Amino acid sequence: MRGLLARHPLLPVMVLALMVLAVLVLYPAAILIRDSLTGPEGEFTLRWYAEAYSRTRTLTALWNTLIIASATALLATIFGTLMAWAVVRTDMPMRRLIEAAALVPFISTPFIGGLAWILLASPETGLINQAWKAVTGLGTPLFDIHGLWGIIMIEALYEMPYVFLIVAGALRSMDPTLEEASFASGAGLTRTTLRVTLPVVMPAIIGSGLLVFVLAAEQFGVPAVIGGPARITVLTTAIWETQAVYPPRYGLGSALSMTLLVIAMMGLWAQRRILGDRSFTTVGGKGARPRRVALGPWRWVALALSLGYLILSVVLPYATIILSSVRTIWTQHFDLSQLTLEHYRWVLFDYPMTQRAMLNSLLLATGGATVGILFCAAISFLVQRSRVPGRRALDYLAVLPMAFPGVVLAYALLRAYITPPLVLYGTIWILMIAYVTRYIPYGVRSTSATLLQIHPELEESSLSSGASWFQTFRRVTLPLLKPGLVAGWIMLFVSFMRELSASVLLYSPSNEVLSVAIYDLWAHGNFRPLSALAVIQIVLCLFMLVLVKRLARIDTDLKV
């Protein structure tokens, strides 16, 4: 044992990291599986699965989930791919503006977007429908957001940036001489695109589409607020309902959670099989520069479609939420006398949940992001910089939470920590565990990317000069890793501030967070105050994004 420790001084740290990940990930997953296969007397049973799949309501929820996820993935993939191609490979005007603005939906959440679209397209009170009825004199609305297509439209608008980013990256990595050769051989634009460009980037298109399928299947906020009034149930809302009734139906909830987990794992498995570590770089000649396709008059059509997407996903929802937060009534007739800041005063000082929710959100986001990014940095260092036995197992365990939808992870944590030996339900710690566990893969990816850019020779020089491992880590590795740690911390902070799907299952009285407070205001029909609170949440996230840019500039100056 002493010889093993002498060869691998980081072995105790590795064992500790594996134990922590086992408690965070494997223990709740085992409890979830056990509950789905255990009857009231502790006997083995398939009763919960039989009950789940024999109920029309559950089968309808499963069908709706598959329909919404498939249609969302299809729409996001088609329009995200076309926009990426227009930005990267054509002479469409305002390309840089379109590319920058297309990432803005990442700042907000589909849940806030869904609330904004209720204010815009609700049959009775939506601004669009109010204006339509006033202009035409008709009694029927132009558009009813409360339906399957409303859910699909909103989820597609807010998941499309994933497709855009992945496909745009593949197009930029592709060797353009392949297309040049096709043009030189007499092929036209359509034939070159279909025979050359599309096959090369097809793995990126399919992989991003599968990722959107998984993200859409695990959505809770949009189906709850858009589908709720129309009694549209999906798997995530069905899981939430099993915990919201009295007595809670944990066995049925566990069986439904396992169903959603299998769907998510199959989608992510297929996505990783297709994308893997593919770089999409093709073999080509030196100095090849991409030739932008001249669209002629069609470039204005491409610009109009791109601007239309930005209006639907960014301009209209954000403007609506801000306008709703400062108006006394919601009508198409606008008057300056309707403007007020009363809703901000009410949510900040009179609504009892706000101050607790803001304090809890800031505490969880700050503390959770700090603990999470330090843990992720330790995992990255062990995996990327050590030869300790077990590092591959550590790597696999660290990416496993990515396969858990937020609602499923929360349900597993709820069942794991509501009974002895470790009772955490009813405390704020269960929320922190849920947040950190869910975002470990993203933190590890962020810190690993920075660590791989630091050449090991720097650490080897320090060690060969007589410095200990700890001195080398503190004086060499940590300062160089600081930009990645800061960026990862900000990413986790923003994600924790806006998290809903896990929070809505795990919160308890006095432990509410901002997203839960907004959800509670929606449940009670308080749209003006919830708009004010949503604006406050967005401003806090924007403030952190600005802060990270300033920190990045400081780091650059220091390097110079």
Side-chain angles (χ1 to χ4, degrees), residues 90-226:
T90 74
D91 61 346
M92 180 181 72
M94 303 171 65
R95 293 186 299 276
R96 289 186 178 179
L97 174 65
I98 296 293
E99 184 168 12
L103 303 180
V104 172
F106 274 128
I107 299 172
S108 183
T109 62
F111 173 56
I112 300 296
L115 294 174
W117 272 98
I118 290 176
L119 293 167
L120 281 167
S122 178
E124 300 300 329
T125 60
L127 277 186
I128 295 174
N129 288 323
Q130 286 189 50
W132 167 258
K133 292 175 183 176
V135 170
T136 62
L138 298 175
T140 54
L142 176 66
F143 188 74
D144 184 359
I145 197 67
H146 296 297
L148 272 180
W149 282 108
I151 300 173
I152 291 167
M153 183 196 78
I154 294 168
E155 292 196 10
L157 285 174
Y158 287 88
E159 309 295 4
M160 207 180 90
Y162 290 98
V163 179
F164 176 84
L165 278 176
I166 295 174
V167 177
L171 283 169
R172 287 196 171 96
S173 300
M174 176 186 168
D175 185 354
T177 56
L178 296 173
E179 293 169 322
E180 294 294 340
S182 176
F183 286 126
S185 302
L189 172 62
T190 304
R191 193 172 183 184
T192 299
T193 301
L194 294 178
R195 296 286 184 88
V196 179
T197 309
L198 204 55
V200 172
V201 298
M202 186 56 75
I205 296 172
I206 296 175
S208 58
L210 287 169
L211 178 62
V212 170
F213 176 88
V214 173
L215 293 173
E218 69 175 55
Q219 258 294 329
F220 172 80
V222 174
V225 299
I226 301 295

Side-chain angles (χ1 to χ4, degrees), residues 327-342:
R327 291 184 72 184
T328 54
I329 58 173
W330 195 241
T331 171
Q332 82 275 17
H333 302 296
F334 183 78
D335 193 292
L336 288 177
S337 62
Q338 300 168 354
L339 298 181
T340 180
L341 294 177
E342 171 61 20

Side-chain angles (χ1 to χ4, degrees), residues 31-89:
I31 295 294
L32 186 70
I33 295 171
R34 184 205 66 183
D35 283 359
S36 71
L37 297 172
T38 305
E41 305 300 326
E43 76 282 9
F44 172 81
T45 181
L46 294 176
R47 164 188 171 181
W48 306 119
Y49 288 97
E51 182 175 340
Y53 298 124
S54 62
R55 297 171 73 214
T56 305
R57 183 175 176 78
T58 302
L59 294 177
T60 303
L62 177 61
W63 177 250
N64 287 339
T65 300
L66 294 175
I67 290 290
I68 291 170
S70 302
T72 299
L74 183 64
L75 288 176
T77 302
I78 291 173
F79 290 104
T81 301
L82 287 175
M83 184 182 286
W85 178 75
V87 168
V88 176
R89 284 303 172 88

